[in-house]
Amino acid sequence: MKAALWYDKKDVRVEEIEEPKVTKGYIKIKVKWCGICGSDLHEYLGGPIFIPVGTPHPLSGNVAPVVLGHEFSGDVVEIGENVTKIKIGDRVTVEPIVACGECPACKEEKYNLCSSLGFHGLCGSGGGLAEYTVFPEKYVHKIPDNMSYEQAALIEPIAVALHSIRMANFKTGDTAIVLGSGPIGLATIECLKAAGARLIIVLQRKSIRQEYAKRAGANFVFDPNEVDIAKEVKKLTDGVGVDVAFETTGAKIGFDTGIDSIKYEGTMVITSIWEGDVSFNPNVLVFSEKKIIGSIAYRHEFPSTIALMSDGRIKAEGYITKKIVLDDIVKEGFETLTGPEKKKQVKILVTPDKSLLSES
């Protein structure tokens, strides 16, 4: 079968590899659509970050090259022994967590904090940028009949945003600033609207993404090149600041603006993946008892995300800005998302089945 493999930074290749086999407790999925994630872009531009190189991943036992892709949907075509909840023909998505199940975090069901955490599509256990993939039944979720395969490929990034909002202990009526309006930023805006946010402010440099942010539900969108965003936030909050900041850029401007924009005892949640260090003076936390917390992936959020999308509380409209075939993933996918046209894109979906492009 064909699959997209990461070999090294700026070295992704579409190759023929062996089709994966179903084992006990596993499910085989014929992939319909798979999104290119920000994590994939970080690996393409500055990796390895999650991808094991040299030393095998403790759970997959594999090293690069690895099959990419962790935001995907498809049909179940085969099930292994002891699979009871999923059947052949089911329309599904995958929660792409690779966890040991034995460490203290896993025993608390905080599997996203597994001491050996990996992600399908990054750690060498297979991935969704392929014709077929296999995964444990525990992390496979059925999708409702009213949800398209394309929408289902967006469940994973929206679950990331939903988890970050839960980590922030965000309450109805709270105020927020979202730093960046890429896919995770837009998902965060939509989740904040669904959570009953009173005010949503967004940092986004001038581009079509400003319009995307407004469409997703932002009340105000500011360009850091044009205004002092923290000052604007203070003006809009009677000089106090917002309750929560969500950092999705992985850039110092987002980090600094987030800290400066939150109120006393406010919280900044970092969901972005960073390619380097950032420095700050801890006194900005000490003097006002502000908090910075991290948020990685999701745990137990997939069912809630599917329900919120299915009933329309999270619309996830306009995310998909381009659809391409797997063969073209480097030029039409990675190069587009990292080149001069990147700000025009939100989510590029990839299919191994060329016939799906003519249907869409």
Side-chain angles (χ1 to χ4, degrees):
M1 69 170 188
K2 282 185 179 177
L5 287 88
W6 185 98
Y7 275 81
D8 201 346
K9 181 166 57 177
K10 292 193 175 178
D11 185 3
V12 171
R13 309 175 199 174
V14 177
E15 296 182 338
E16 286 284 342
I17 64 170
E18 188 177 342
E19 205 171 289
K21 293 181 173 57
V22 168
T23 55
K24 185 176 179 180
Y26 277 67
I27 287 163
K28 185 174 182 178
I29 299 164
K30 180 178 174 60
V31 176
K32 291 283 191 178
W33 293 100
C34 183
I36 300 176
C37 176
S39 300
D40 299 325
L41 296 180
H42 283 299
E43 298 288 1
Y44 182 74
L45 290 173
I49 299 170
F50 291 110
I51 293 174
V53 173
T55 303
H57 189 274
L59 299 180
S60 73
N62 293 326
V63 296
V66 301
V67 180
L68 292 172
H70 59 274
E71 305 177 352
F72 62 95
S73 61
D75 291 331
V76 176
V77 294
E78 189 179 346
I79 59 174
E81 186 184 345
N82 288 1
V83 170
T84 59
K85 296 177 183 175
I86 302 290
K87 64 183 186 299
I88 292 172
D90 281 346
R91 304 166 70 246
V92 296
T93 188
V94 162
E95 183 177 357
I97 294 280
V98 178
C100 72
E102 300 295 331
C103 70
C106 281
K107 286 180 178 177
E108 290 183 28
E109 277 299 304
K110 296 177 180 176
Y111 50 82
N112 64 320
L113 303 179
C114 174
S115 59
S116 301
L117 180 66
F119 293 95
H120 195 57
L122 289 169
C123 76
S125 61
L129 286 168
E131 292 182 66
Y132 297 93
T133 194
V134 298
F135 211 62
E137 179 185 30
K138 177 181 178 180
Y139 296 106
V140 177
H141 301 266
K142 295 179 188 178
I143 57 175
D145 293 339
N146 68 340
M147 183 178 287
S148 69
Y149 290 106
E150 291 95 329
Q151 287 174 309
L154 301 174
I155 291 168
E156 195 272 354
I158 292 172
V160 170
L162 183 60
H163 181 66
S164 72
I165 285 165
R166 288 179 169 176
M167 291 297 295
N169 292 317
F170 195 86
K171 301 181 294 298
T172 300
D174 280 354
T175 57
I177 182 168
V178 179
L179 294 316
S181 59
I184 298 300
L186 293 174
T188 303
I189 296 167
E190 284 215 76
C191 288
L192 285 167
K193 289 292 287 186
R198 176 164 52 89
L199 174 68
I200 303 171
I201 302 165
V202 173
L203 173 153
Q204 176 59 55
R205 289 191 172 91
K206 188 161 285 183
S207 72
I208 189 64
R209 286 188 176 182
Q210 289 188 331
E211 297 306 313
Y212 295 157
K214 291 173 186 173
R215 188 171 61 199
N219 301 104
F220 297 92
V221 182
F222 295 120
D223 183 341
N225 294 328
E226 296 179 350
V227 298
D228 183 324
I229 295 179
K231 284 185 178 177
E232 295 299 319
V233 169
K234 297 285 172 45
K235 288 178 190 174
L236 292 167
T237 56
D238 297 324
V240 178
V242 291
D243 297 294
V244 185
F246 294 90
E247 207 307 293
T248 76
T249 67
K252 184 171 171 55
I253 182 69
F255 184 94
D256 291 344
T257 302
I259 290 179
D260 291 343
S261 297
I262 53 176
K263 65 185 288 190
Y264 56 89
E265 293 187 320
T267 300
M268 181 163 74
V269 182
I270 299 178
T271 57
S272 48
I273 302 300
W274 293 68
E275 294 175 17
D277 296 339
V278 65
S279 61
F280 72 103
N281 187 334
N283 285 341
V284 300
L285 306 182
V286 174
F287 295 162
S288 54
E289 296 191 352
K290 296 178 180 180
K291 297 176 284 294
I292 300 175
I293 61 174
S295 178
I296 180 73
Y298 24 71
R299 58 174 180 264
H300 312 296
E301 271 93 14
F302 262 59
S304 299
T305 303
I306 292 169
L308 287 165
M309 292 176 67
S310 179
D311 70 14
R313 280 176 286 175
I314 292 177
K315 293 183 171 51
E317 294 173 347
Y319 280 63
I320 301 164
T321 47
K322 190 176 182 182
K323 296 179 185 178
I324 62 174
V325 71
L326 182 60
D327 285 330
D328 299 333
I329 191 170
V330 175
K331 186 175 188 303
E332 299 296 330
F334 285 102
E335 290 183 9
T336 298
L337 288 168
T338 57
E341 299 293 299
K342 64 183 179 181
K343 283 292 198 294
K344 293 181 180 178
Q345 302 294 332
V346 179
K347 182 63 64 177
I348 294 180
L349 292 191
V350 184
T351 181
D353 184 353
K354 289 181 180 178
S355 69
L356 293 184
L357 282 181
S358 58
E359 292 174 12
S360 60

